Amino acid sequence: MNTSKCRIKKDDKVKVIAGKDKGKIGKVLKVDRKKNRVLVENVNMVKRHARPSAQNRQGGIIEGEAGIHWSNLMLMCGKCLSPTRIKVQRLEDGKKVRACSKCDEIIDS
Ligand SMILES: [Zn+2]
């Protein structure tokens, strides 16, 4: 059981490493830290039945992303262009940043 903390943040580019969308790459739309679930653009699309509303007068079936557990995702490093583990680095001024464990590229600016 992986008990490490979720280090994925909104707008990160991630790759899906497990589940039906394995191999897909997308941008993080939302992170739910309480549920440990991450919403990734065009990943884990599900159809929902919608009631008619102001935006959608007919109701019917709408498609949208459903959250997936962050442990099924890996961050894409923009420098080595591959999925990577995230390590936390402490800068000289004490600020903590996320960095690629492969090439040491700092992910947070
Ligand atoms: Zn890297």
Side-chain angles (χ1 to χ4, degrees):
M1 184 64 185
N2 190 345
T3 53
S4 61
K5 265 169 69 183
C6 173
R7 302 206 192 278
I8 290 167
K9 291 181 182 171
K10 190 172 176 274
D11 293 330
D12 280 349
K13 206 175 166 193
V14 292
K15 183 168 187 174
V16 183
I17 53 164
K20 73 178 171 93
D21 286 321
K22 192 175 168 181
K24 273 195 186 174
I25 293 169
K27 196 178 89 169
V28 174
L29 301 174
K30 200 180 161 190
V31 179
D32 188 332
R33 300 206 177 272
K34 278 182 197 147
K35 292 179 188 161
N36 283 320
R37 296 212 153 240
V38 181
L39 227 61
V40 186
E41 201 173 34
N42 293 318
V43 167
N44 203 17
M45 299 297 282
V46 290
K47 289 190 171 76
R48 290 191 186 91
H49 292 274
R51 283 162 194 262
S53 66
Q55 291 98 29
N56 183 353
R57 286 176 189 282
Q58 291 170 340
I61 296 167
I62 51 163
E63 227 180 354
E65 289 93 352
I68 61 174
H69 196 263
W70 66 267
S71 65
N72 294 334
L73 301 169
M74 271 184 106
L75 191 78
M76 289 292 290
C77 173
K79 201 178 172 192
C80 44
L81 299 172
S82 59
T84 185
R85 284 177 184 278
I86 303 164
K87 65 175 184 180
V88 175
Q89 261 183 1
R90 196 181 281 268
L91 299 180
E92 280 173 17
D93 63 4
K95 199 179 151 197
K96 281 184 185 169
V97 292
R98 297 177 305 157
C100 171
S101 66
K102 287 181 187 166
C103 68
D104 290 339
E105 176 82 349
I106 290 170
I107 292 152
D108 296 309
S109 47

